[in-house]
């Protein structure tokens, strides 16, 4: 055997071995990743948790100017029957300097009924403003006591650290006095 | 680990074991003969103290777990049962609760010691990194433990802290649902927090082994920050430092016992004695005292970061706060590279000493700001501004002051050896 041939053989062997190493390593990594996924995904919401995803609310007992809190997916949902002044104020502020600009009309299905997820978009506290004697913040909506975010009568963020408006959950009017959230 | 030449033991049983697994040889080498600088002060007690606190937390925690029920409807009552009905339950629970505070006291002093005497510098960078890792794991463990009694304070702490992750762009919301196992902090969250709260202390124990192992490779630093040159500069670890550590530990434990038995709720808060209600946030929620400085840093980022005078925002205030809070711990990992000054001990670096003592005060002031409400005003000054200035100094210390001093500070003359300095101090 000439030295050239020997070298070539050695080179071949090296490339072949490297290829086998790399492909075995890659397969091992893919396998470990696939095996890890069930462990990670098991932490995601389980089927029974997902199944509790809708809540029906009867609106008849709520007077104008009153608000109630219902539980949806373990979170508070605020339902406020707004007064005409609150509606007018919310619509007037459509053109104010808003951090998360949104028209009031885009946040309601019926202007009288404001339905919101009652969770501050900053760090998840429940804002005050549902009860008659609660502080409602500077804009007549809600005030979050944890870090001082002020929401207006459309649930839009006006001041404080929260980045977004209070979320509007998916809901529909089943009848004039019954809504289904979720 | 220990292999090679081995001195035989007189005791036949010890010798039988040691010739098969040289564990006694290892102990003699690392804890009896181990040459240790002879000039330690009491700051050097706190590593051993922290280790004792870790063991104490694990032991009390294991027993508490035998009585605790990790379920959203039963957790609070099971803790009340521990307090009222379980034999010695009140004591075990108070030992665990206050033990966390004293563990953090020991670790904060230990970290300050490392910074003051330059223990993080070459060749001890990895030792320092393991230490910061332990600190980070401790924070995670303590936070999850805080939520387990399922009180108003604990449940809302869990809500606020997990919501921090929702600030991460794109994946934030999905990540939070993954952390919760649902749409809010609820039973699945409590279950996994309990599981991890039980697991992480053993992970900490593992990193402590690496921390101590690394320490025993480089040897200890000392108040002068100069390396020992030979036997005249060192003493064997036992009995010299076993005795000194025992004394320091006793003083520390006396304080711990005084708090545990006479002021057991001094670090607690009334909302910790009310069951968690996911519909009502308490008016004033605060984390445990040892997180207050970081909480103040989180809250001090009240502004969006983007291109000035435009609407373009790169990092909103919420995400900025989260980055700053985690950054305040992560920055510690890089301290050995921010500071490349050849002199270790602050004793010989007057400017570094001032900057570091200012950092310690800054940290305490941040803790005070974190304790007050977000819109508090003291002496006509809104505390949020105080928090912002303190946050600025905190980061400036690491990324500007220390690197600058590291290049420009002229150190005082160092003693020739530890032995010389010790004898000079004794007037010999």
């Amino acid at each position: 055997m000439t030295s050239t041939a020997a070298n070539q053989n050695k080179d071949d062997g090296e490339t072949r071995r490297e290829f086998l190493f790399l492909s075995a390593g890659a397969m091992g990594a893919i396998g470990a990743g696939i095996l890890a996924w069930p462990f990670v995904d098991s932490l995601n919401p389980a089927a029974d948790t997902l199944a509790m995803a809708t809540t029906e609310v009867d609106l008849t007992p709520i007077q104008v100017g009153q608000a109630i809190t219902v539980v949806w997916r373990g979170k508070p949902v605020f339902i406020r029957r707004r007064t005409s002044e609150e509606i007018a104020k919310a619509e007037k502020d459509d053109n104010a300097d808003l951090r998360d600009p949104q028209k009031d009309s885009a946040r309601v299905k019926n202007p009288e009924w404001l339905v919101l997820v009652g969770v501050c978009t900053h760090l998840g506290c429940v804002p005050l403003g549902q009860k008659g004697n609660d502080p409602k913040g500077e804009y007549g909506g809600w005030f979050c006591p944890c870090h001082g975010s002020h929401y207006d009568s459309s649930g839009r963020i006006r001041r404080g650290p929260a980045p977004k408006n209070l979320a509007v959950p998916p809901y529909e009017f089943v009848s004039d006095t019954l809504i289904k959230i979720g | 680990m220990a292999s090679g030449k081995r001195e035989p033991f007189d005791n036949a049983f010890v010798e039988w074991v040691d010739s098969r697994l040289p564990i006694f040889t290892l102990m003699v080498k690392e804890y009896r003969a181990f040459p240790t600088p002879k000039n330690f002060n009491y700051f050097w007690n706190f590593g051993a103290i922290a280790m004792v606190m870790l063991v104490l937390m694990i032991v009390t925690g294991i027993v508490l777990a035998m009585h605790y029920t990790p379920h959203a409807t039963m957790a609070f009552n099971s803790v009340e049962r521990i307090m009222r009905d379980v034999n010695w339950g009140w004591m075990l629970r108070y030992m665990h609760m206050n033990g966390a505070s004293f563990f953090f006291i020991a670790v904060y002093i230990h970290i300050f010691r490392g910074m003051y005497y330059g223990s993080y510098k070459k060749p001890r960078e990895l030792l320092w990194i393991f230490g910061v890792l332990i600190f980070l794991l401790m924070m995670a463990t303590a936070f999850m433990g805080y939520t387990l009694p399922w009180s108003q304070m604990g449940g809302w702490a869990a809500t606020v802290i997990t919501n921090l992750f929702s600030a991460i762009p794109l994946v934030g919301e999905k990540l939070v649902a993954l952390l919760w196992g649902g749409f809010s902090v609820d039973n699945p969250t409590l279950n996994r927090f309990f599981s991890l709260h039980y697991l992480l202390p053993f992970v900490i124990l593992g990193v402590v082994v690496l921390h101590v192992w690394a320490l025993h490779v480089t040897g200890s630093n000392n108040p002068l920050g100069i390396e020992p040159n030979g036997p005249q500069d060192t003493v064997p670890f036992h009995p010299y430092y076993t005795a000194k550590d025992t004394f320091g530990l006793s003083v520390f434990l006396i304080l711990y016992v005084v708090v545990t038995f006479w002021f057991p709720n001094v670090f607690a808060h009334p909302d910790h004695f009310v069951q968690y209600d996911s519909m009502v946030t308490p008016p004033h929620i605060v984390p445990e005292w040892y997180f207050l400085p970081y909480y103040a840093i989180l809250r001090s980022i009240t502004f969006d970061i983007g291109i000035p005078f435009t609407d373009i925002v790169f990092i909103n205030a919420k995400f900025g706060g989260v980055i700053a809070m985690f950054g305040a711990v992560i920055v510690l990992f890089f301290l050995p590279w921010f500071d490349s000054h050849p002199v270790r001990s602050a004793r010989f670096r007057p400017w570094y000493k001032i900057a570091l003592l200012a950092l310690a005060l800054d940290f305490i002031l941040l803790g005070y700001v974190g304790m007050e409400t977000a819109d508090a005003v003291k002496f006509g000054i809104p505390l949020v501004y105080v928090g912002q200035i303190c946050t600025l100094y905190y980061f400036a210390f690491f990324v500007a002051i220390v690197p600058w001093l590291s290049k420009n500070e002229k150190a005082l003359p160092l003693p020739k050896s530890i032995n010389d300095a010790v004898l000079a101090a004794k007037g010999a």
Side-chain angles (χ1 to χ4, degrees), chain A residues 40 43-45 49-50 71 73-76 121-126 145-147 163, chain B residues 156 159-160 163-164 177-178 181-184 192 278-279 281 283 285 295 299 316 318:
Chain A
V40 175
L43 298 175
N44 268 320
T49 313
L50 292 170
V71 184
R73 289 177 161 185
K75 290 180 190 176
T121 58
H122 181 224
L123 294 175
C125 295
V126 180
C146 290
H147 307 93
Chain B
W156 284 102
T159 302
V160 167
N163 263 300
L164 294 177
L178 182 80
F183 304 110
S184 59
R192 63 192 57 184
S278 63
M279 295 293 122
T281 308
I285 58 171
Y295 192 57
R299 292 196 309 192
N316 65 27
K318 178 176 162 182

Side-chain angles (χ1 to χ4, degrees), chain B residues 293-344:
Chain B
Y294 298 101
Y295 192 57
I297 290 174
L298 166 79
R299 292 196 309 192
S300 70
I301 309 298
T302 53
F303 43 87
D304 296 337
I305 297 160
I307 300 173
F309 312 114
T310 66
D311 285 341
I312 300 162
V313 171
F314 297 128
I315 298 169
N316 65 27
K318 178 176 162 182
F319 193 38
V322 173
I323 292 173
M325 186 180 76
F326 285 107
V329 183
I330 302 302
V331 76
L332 290 171
F333 280 112
F334 300 97
L335 182 57
W337 290 276
F338 287 133
D339 184 5
S340 53
H341 197 284
V343 172
R344 291 197 188 107

